[in-house]
Amino acid sequence: MCSGDKEERLIKIIIPGPLTTVQDAGRTGYMAQGFPVCGAADADSMEIGNILVGNAPDTAVLEITLGGFAAEFLSDSVVAVTGADAPFFINGVPLERYRAYPLKKRDYIYVGPVKSGCRIYLCVSGGISTEPFMGSRSTFLKIGMGGYKGRKLMPGDMLPMGYVPKMPKKLGSRSVVPPEFSSTVTLRATVGPQDNMFSPEEIDKFFSSEYTVTPASDRMGIRLDGPFLNSLNGTDIISDGIACGSVQIPSDGKPIILCADRQTTGGYAKPVTVISADMPKAGQLVPGNKVRFVRVTQEEAYKAAIERSRYIKKLSKKLHRL
């Protein structure tokens, strides 16, 4: 398909699953106006899948929560399925995750229920080409903006795909080793910004404890059950900005990892922050998973972020040569 073709490239949603939305790298520069960044909960899976199909890493994709998704392609395309471990079929033929495949018009894709992990990413050549909202195609469910009509996908929805000048070559070589998902996850975290509201012993308790992900978790925050943290004099603060990965401690002392759809400001103390390089792992947590935290320095967090960025750039450069 070339950019001069008149035919609109479309995907028809047959079964959307419990929650499927359009997501990209998120909208930046609008938190001061109260608009969350949103974006893919697992940026690693989104970026790798996009690279596999020949897109820029931040191109819009479908984020499929817990699987059970089916769609018909009304135009030729190239697809890759990344993220959570779930069975994946094209026209009933089982195929591998983290590998690029060509699709012809009227081909049917099905993604079954997840075996481990939480979110699956369907990446298509040219990306999902819905109308941008504030510079991003990410769905902002709470106000019904962005993505496809500001909502989760429903049966019969027709999603446009962007045009591509040419399809990627050597599709059989465009693959990476899928990650493994465990029911017990370790997340690296730095101390701060409001660690002074807790005793050193309470901070140590947080890093030595195991927590369980609760069913109340969502794209906004991962709620944890386990030892509560006792503050020195309450957890209320004057509301300030919230970074992705901030661990908020409300009045009940139970930690909440704030994620992609987090509020822009909050009035509870945030004694620790999960590092950005580990937030994709957090985005794959499901209720019942166990979580432990490892304390790292800011320098170690910077190093991890740089290593992740280098890996994405290296993978993109390698596959671009094919």
Side-chain angles (χ1 to χ4, degrees):
M1 187 73 68
C2 68
S3 58
D5 286 336
K6 301 290 185 180
E7 183 183 2
E8 187 176 14
R9 305 179 68 229
L10 295 170
I11 304 171
K12 181 179 180 180
I13 304 302
I14 308 299
I15 305 172
L19 176 62
T20 297
T21 58
V22 178
Q23 300 293 342
D24 57 17
R27 55 187 53 83
T28 57
Y30 296 98
M31 289 186 70
Q33 286 77 46
F35 291 93
V37 175
C38 300
D42 176 357
D44 285 359
S45 295
M46 175 193 72
E47 294 184 11
I48 292 171
N50 272 321
I51 292 169
L52 287 172
V53 300
N55 295 337
D58 60 353
T59 302
V61 303
L62 296 186
E63 181 181 271
I64 304 163
T65 303
L66 300 177
F69 171 91
E72 181 183 11
F73 278 70
L74 304 184
S75 309
D76 293 356
S77 190
V78 175
V79 301
V81 171
T82 60
D85 184 4
F88 156 48
F89 305 82
I90 294 177
N91 298 331
V93 178
L95 297 171
E96 299 177 12
R97 296 155 52 239
Y98 285 84
R99 181 179 291 274
Y101 293 97
L103 284 186
K104 295 295 184 182
K105 185 174 182 178
R106 300 298 178 185
D107 278 351
Y108 183 90
I109 187 170
Y110 173 71
V111 180
V114 297
K115 299 176 180 177
S116 59
C118 181
R119 296 177 173 92
I120 302 149
Y121 293 85
L122 175 58
C123 308
V124 303
S125 56
I128 304 300
S129 187
T130 52
E131 189 70 24
F133 170 65
M134 290 186 166
S136 168
R137 292 184 168 91
S138 284
T139 309
F140 185 5
L141 289 170
K142 295 214 176 272
I143 67 167
M145 298 298 291
Y148 184 79
K149 300 183 179 180
R151 59 166 171 77
K152 67 179 185 179
L153 299 186
M154 299 174 64
D157 285 344
M158 305 287 278
L159 272 66
M161 293 182 287
Y163 290 96
V164 288
K166 60 181 179 179
M167 293 298 185
K169 298 178 181 179
K170 298 183 179 179
L171 290 181
S173 301
R174 302 182 74 88
S175 67
V176 299
V177 177
E180 294 183 0
F181 295 96
S182 172
S183 60
T184 300
V185 174
T186 299
L187 300 175
R188 293 169 289 181
T190 58
V191 175
Q194 284 101 27
D195 52 297
N196 61 329
M197 296 180 66
F198 300 81
S199 69
E201 291 76 19
E202 287 297 298
I203 299 296
D204 289 342
K205 181 175 75 174
F206 174 82
F207 281 105
S208 63
S209 298
E210 182 177 80
Y211 291 90
T212 302
V213 177
T214 76
S217 302
D218 57 19
R219 280 178 45 86
M220 184 175 180
I222 300 166
R223 295 178 178 270
L224 303 176
D225 189 24
F228 59 85
L229 294 190
N230 294 298
S231 63
L232 294 173
N233 191 28
T235 61
D236 289 345
I237 62 170
I238 297 174
S239 292
D240 64 359
I242 295 178
C244 188
S246 292
V247 179
Q248 191 177 65
I249 309 297
S251 56
D252 65 2
K254 296 296 181 70
I256 305 171
I257 306 172
L258 298 172
C259 304
D261 287 356
R262 68 197 181 279
Q263 66 273 36
T264 57
T265 63
Y268 290 122
K270 303 173 290 295
V272 300
T273 305
V274 176
I275 69 173
S276 61
D278 280 7
M279 281 306 294
K281 292 168 61 177
Q284 291 292 352
L285 291 169
V286 294
N289 281 173
K290 306 297 182 181
V291 181
R292 285 186 170 273
F293 297 88
V294 172
R295 188 187 325 222
V296 297
T297 64
Q298 288 189 359
E299 289 74 17
E300 290 171 318
Y302 295 146
K303 182 179 179 181
I306 291 170
E307 288 176 348
R308 178 191 176 278
S309 178
R310 285 176 176 169
Y311 169 74
I312 294 297
K313 289 179 180 178
K314 183 178 179 181
L315 178 64
S316 183
K317 186 176 180 180
K318 174 185 174 182
L319 294 183
H320 184 70
R321 298 194 193 104
L322 296 177

